[in-house]
Amino acid sequence: MALRGVAIQLVVLCALAYSGCHAATNNLSFGSDVTAAVSERVAAHFSNAPEIPRDHLLRPTTVEFAVGNHDLAATIIPDEEVAALESAEGFIARSAMLDGQLLVAVRGGSTHGNAVGAYWLLELVGVRFMHPLEPTVLAESPVDVAALGAVELTTSPHWPLRGWHYHTQHPLEMVEVFNGFDISTDSTDGLNVTWEAMVPEVDLFFQWCLANRQVGFHSARVVPIFRRSGTVKAVHRL
């Protein structure tokens, strides 16, 4: 009886290892209509996302994600549907089994629509943009693989103007960089930060705006940014 009990335990452990304890490999591809500024940032966030568990029924060894006019995305989201979107800033998300692998595709009505869809995809896999300066990466994947195999979403914004006003006359984060200043104090133990060193925070802020589907940003004195350095040009392309 003791040996039979051990054998049963081994069978159960092997079954668990096969069904639920292994993670699926995630591959992310971009089409030519996704800007480099977006694809580079999204790919970096995607690489930090928690692993998607393997469903005990579906058991995909690979989950393919495709954004934009990539061949994989175009296979299940045809050009005709993209052209029929109510707004160029909208996107379509859909999943399907393709050659035995699970495919999740996102196609937008424009480069901006692709960008919004790409950040929606990050939210889906566990990278959340709740804080403007600090994306949240969940410790465990929020993805239910069975639900992932039934994604069907078509969305377009209700309002054409969606933006954020940043009051640079108040003591807020990033007011120095938006006004074109360094942070410096006269005391020996004070804070001294160059303007260039603060640009990455602006990058994160603009990504937060994009992830929350905003299309504009207004500040009383944003012009000096572009006078000081070309560094922000890549951020501005978001």
Side-chain angles (χ1 to χ4, degrees):
M1 291 295 294
L3 290 176
R4 180 178 297 179
V6 171
I8 292 174
Q9 289 181 7
L10 288 174
V11 170
V12 171
L13 289 174
C14 289
L16 287 173
Y18 181 70
S19 63
C21 298
H22 291 290
T25 301
N26 307 332
N27 292 331
L28 177 61
S29 304
F30 298 93
S32 60
D33 58 348
V34 181
T35 66
V38 168
S39 61
E40 290 169 5
R41 288 163 174 79
V42 170
H45 290 303
F46 187 84
S47 66
N48 294 323
E51 289 184 321
I52 297 175
R54 289 173 62 176
D55 183 83
H56 68 287
L57 293 176
L58 192 57
R59 293 197 189 103
T61 56
T62 302
V63 180
E64 295 284 353
F65 295 89
V67 180
N69 62 0
H70 189 276
D71 289 344
L72 287 174
T75 300
I76 62 174
I77 305 177
D79 295 342
E80 295 77 12
E81 290 190 44
V82 176
L85 281 166
E86 294 181 5
S87 168
E89 296 171 5
F91 66 88
I92 301 169
R94 180 173 297 153
S95 62
M97 293 298 295
L98 190 66
D99 296 330
Q101 302 296 339
L102 179 59
L103 168 63
V104 182
V106 176
R107 295 193 65 183
S110 63
T111 54
H112 183 81
N114 283 329
V116 172
Y119 277 84
W120 170 86
L121 188 61
L122 288 176
E123 296 261 353
L124 179 70
V125 298
V127 181
R128 307 293 168 83
F129 293 84
M130 296 177 285
H131 193 289
L133 303 181
E134 188 176 356
T136 300
V137 179
L138 301 183
E140 295 183 2
S141 175
V143 173
D144 177 87
V145 178
L148 192 63
V151 172
E152 184 64 50
L153 173 67
T154 299
T155 180
S156 291
H158 295 289
W159 303 99
L161 296 179
R162 307 174 307 282
W164 184 269
H165 171 74
Y166 208 93
H167 202 312
T168 55
Q169 307 306 309
H170 288 229
L172 304 173
E173 293 88 345
M174 301 183 294
V175 293
E176 291 85 4
V177 69
F178 284 135
N179 281 308
F181 303 141
D182 299 322
I183 298 178
S184 61
T185 60
D186 296 331
S187 60
T188 56
D189 59 345
L191 179 65
N192 293 277
V193 183
T194 65
W195 181 89
E196 288 76 11
M198 293 183 283
V199 169
E201 284 194 346
V202 180
D203 189 306
L204 287 172
F205 173 69
F206 285 170
Q207 290 187 65
W208 175 84
C209 289
L210 184 57
N212 286 278
R213 308 191 186 186
Q214 300 182 35
V215 295
F217 170 80
H218 176 266
S219 172
R221 297 187 62 189
V222 74
V223 175
I225 292 180
F226 302 99
R227 291 178 179 171
R228 288 204 54 166
S229 171
T231 308
V232 180
K233 290 181 180 178
V235 180
H236 184 247
R237 284 198 298 269
L238 284 172

